[in-house]
Amino acid sequence: MEISEITKIEDLIAFLKGVKLDLYLFGAGVFGQIWGQFLDKYTINWKGYIDNDQNLRGRTINGRKVCMLSDIKDKSSISISISISPGAYRLKYDDICRQLKREGIEERQIIHIARNTYISNLIAIDVKDAQRYFLKARQVRNIFKGRRAFVIGNGPSLRISDLTKIKDEVSFGCNSLINLFDMTPFRPTVFFFEDPGFIKLYFSENDDNLFKLTSECKYVFSSIRNRLFDKYKDSFENLYYINSYMNIDDSVEVSSDITKIVYGGGTSLFIIMQIAFYMGLSEIYLLGVDFSFRQEATKTGGLVINSSVENHQENMPAENEGVYYVDVILDAWNAAKKYADAHGIKIYNATRGGKLEVFPRVDFDDLMQNLRGGVQQYSIIFRAGIPHHAAPIREAA
């Protein structure tokens, strides 16, 4: 059986126990650590980690040493399982395969486990015994039924003064929005974080920011794939965990039940939209969703660098700017629109400028004036359609 065909954990265990060579995991990050825990749980023999990060060289993770490929003298005696995240897969997978072969590893020695995102997802749930934590989100199903809300992006057009104007509205935010908490009384009703760069930046020294989020936001959502889940999974009544999943083939799905799965789409905002749908909202306004990035990659491998473009609001840190897969993100926004249209949910773009034209646009200032006056009608600046090149969308339970 090929690794790509495996859909059951028991078949994976049998496959890995049948590996005759010394097994190493390539990648000692979050996904590699989960894989190491899985191998230990089912008493599968493995030697250690291989990673290109010099800072990890010689460290011990999951009781195994991290080395570089050049540290292994007899490369004919090893088998390497590439254990990286779906996000890293896009950026690094082909380069890693070329590196392995350039340094003497044959194709037969490589286990392409990162290509099987389905089984990788099952492993994370199994290792962390996470299923019961996903079910906790049933508490918030339709909790905002029939109401409106603002979904806040972190784009450069976002104004602190605008956030203050919506401080009494239901709202959703994520990641670096936490930087603005000291500048405005606004707090998002729902806060989501998952990005490894954000977690590393804000939770590396202590966990004060987690206590800040859970005390100042009514609902907080995160993924199981970080150390905060391991440490605090039972600690906060308003902290919910989701099973976030990204297809490496870039197909886009929308979940109607976040207690089962939530699909990635190249941006945290797509996950937020699925949470918002589940919470029963009938009207959603986007704000600060510029959809323009300094480094934009396409599915065909092209890379456009816009040196004059800022990714984030001016008070947010510029570290780990990253590459944004604009085709995937656009497909995700189109998926959100198609789902919303099918379920009677209205989505409007109240962003000041930007390039996202999937949704009808409304002027933010006019909108706020009308909402304060109890007026539900306002001018739609531009009604957008779904671009013809959008990927097929499937709704998943």
Side-chain angles (χ1 to χ4, degrees):
M1 179 182 291
E2 294 293 329
I3 194 73
S4 60
E5 300 173 350
I6 293 177
T7 58
K8 297 179 180 179
I9 284 181
E10 53 266 34
D11 291 337
L12 177 65
I13 293 170
F15 177 92
L16 293 172
K17 285 191 172 182
V19 173
K20 304 302 181 185
L21 302 176
D22 291 338
L23 179 61
Y24 283 84
L25 297 178
F26 193 107
V30 171
F31 275 70
Q33 291 171 36
I34 291 173
W35 269 99
Q37 293 166 21
F38 174 79
L39 297 178
D40 285 340
K41 179 177 179 178
Y42 292 102
T43 61
I44 298 168
N45 291 324
W46 62 296
K47 298 290 288 186
Y49 288 102
I50 298 172
D51 202 286
N52 287 332
D53 187 346
Q54 285 275 8
N55 295 322
L56 296 179
R57 191 179 195 181
R59 284 184 55 186
T60 299
I61 297 176
N62 286 340
R64 305 298 199 285
K65 287 288 187 182
V66 181
C67 68
M68 303 191 77
L69 185 56
S70 58
D71 297 329
I72 300 174
K73 303 306 179 186
D74 183 9
K75 295 182 177 59
S76 64
S77 66
I78 67 172
S79 182
I80 298 176
S81 175
I82 304 177
S83 51
I84 58 177
S85 71
Y89 181 95
R90 288 195 189 88
L91 292 172
K92 302 177 181 178
Y93 198 84
D94 290 342
D95 288 340
I96 290 172
C97 290
R98 283 191 288 268
Q99 174 196 347
L100 295 179
K101 292 175 181 178
R102 188 171 59 248
E103 297 192 37
I105 303 298
E106 298 180 12
E107 177 63 31
R108 63 178 181 83
Q109 296 172 260
I110 303 174
I111 302 174
H112 295 281
I113 196 63
R115 291 178 179 169
N116 191 334
T117 52
Y118 178 81
I119 199 69
S120 295
N121 188 56
L122 289 184
I123 282 173
I125 297 171
D126 178 79
V127 165
K128 294 178 177 287
D129 190 23
Q131 193 63 52
R132 62 191 177 98
Y133 295 97
F134 302 149
L135 296 177
K136 180 182 175 182
R138 288 176 176 172
Q139 298 172 3
V140 302
R141 183 175 180 84
N142 290 327
I143 203 164
F144 296 128
K145 187 173 179 60
R147 297 181 64 180
R148 67 171 179 257
F150 286 81
V151 169
I152 312 301
N154 296 331
S157 69
L158 185 63
R159 298 180 184 177
I160 294 173
S161 59
D162 290 345
L163 293 176
T164 303
K165 292 175 184 176
I166 62 170
K167 65 182 179 65
D168 296 322
E169 298 280 341
V170 176
S171 58
F172 293 70
C174 63
N175 298 333
S176 295
L177 189 65
I178 195 175
N179 285 276
L180 308 186
F181 281 17
D182 293 337
M183 306 175 191
T184 172
F186 166 84
R187 296 293 183 272
T189 315
V190 181
F191 192 96
F192 170 72
F193 70 93
E194 178 187 42
D195 180 73
F198 172 82
I199 292 173
K200 182 178 181 180
L201 186 61
Y202 290 91
F203 300 103
S204 59
E205 295 183 3
N206 58 63
D207 301 330
D208 290 350
N209 280 320
L210 183 60
F211 289 87
K212 182 181 182 72
L213 288 173
T214 52
S215 64
E216 298 186 16
C217 301
K218 193 167 184 178
Y219 307 97
V220 180
F221 285 81
S222 188
S223 163
I224 63 170
R225 295 177 183 85
N226 59 67
R227 70 169 185 83
L228 297 175
F229 172 82
D230 299 332
K231 188 174 181 180
Y232 294 111
K233 56 191 174 186
D234 295 307
S235 299
F236 301 97
E237 290 186 4
N238 64 333
L239 180 56
Y240 300 85
Y241 295 96
I242 58 171
N243 175 25
S244 60
Y245 176 81
M246 185 73 196
N247 293 314
I248 60 170
D249 64 0
D250 294 332
S251 61
V252 180
E253 300 182 56
V254 178
S255 174
S256 60
D257 187 350
I258 66 171
T259 68
K260 295 179 180 179
I261 198 165
V262 182
Y263 292 96
T267 170
S268 294
L269 295 178
F270 184 57
I271 292 178
I272 284 179
M273 294 300 286
Q274 293 169 80
I275 296 172
F277 295 155
Y278 186 78
M279 295 177 108
L281 292 157
S282 62
E283 197 168 273
I284 298 172
Y285 298 92
L286 307 181
L287 184 65
V289 184
D290 291 53
F291 190 55
S292 59
F293 310 101
R294 179 165 292 182
Q295 296 186 82
E296 299 182 349
T298 64
K299 291 179 183 177
T300 57
L303 180 64
V304 177
I305 299 177
N306 308 301
S307 58
S308 62
V309 172
E310 296 294 336
N311 287 341
H312 296 115
Q313 202 267 357
E314 61 183 352
N315 295 291
M316 298 179 183
E319 293 94 338
N320 302 315
E321 287 294 289
V323 176
Y324 292 81
Y325 285 78
V326 290
D327 289 346
V328 177
I329 298 173
L330 181 59
D331 284 346
W333 284 121
N334 283 314
K337 184 179 190 304
K338 188 168 184 178
Y339 182 95
D341 290 347
H343 292 80
I345 303 167
K346 304 297 184 183
I347 305 176
Y348 302 98
N349 188 358
T351 299
R352 298 183 184 276
K355 299 194 305 183
L356 183 63
E357 305 298 348
V358 173
F359 307 100
R361 283 198 179 251
V362 296
D363 181 85
F364 177 78
D365 296 316
D366 289 346
L367 171 65
M368 294 311 300
Q369 183 176 354
N370 290 334
L371 293 180
R372 284 196 297 269
V375 179
Q376 294 300 314
Q377 300 296 323
Y378 38 83
S379 299
I380 294 176
I381 300 171
F382 173 74
R383 180 171 293 279
I386 298 179
H388 295 298
H389 65 274
I393 308 302
R394 294 171 288 168
E395 179 182 334

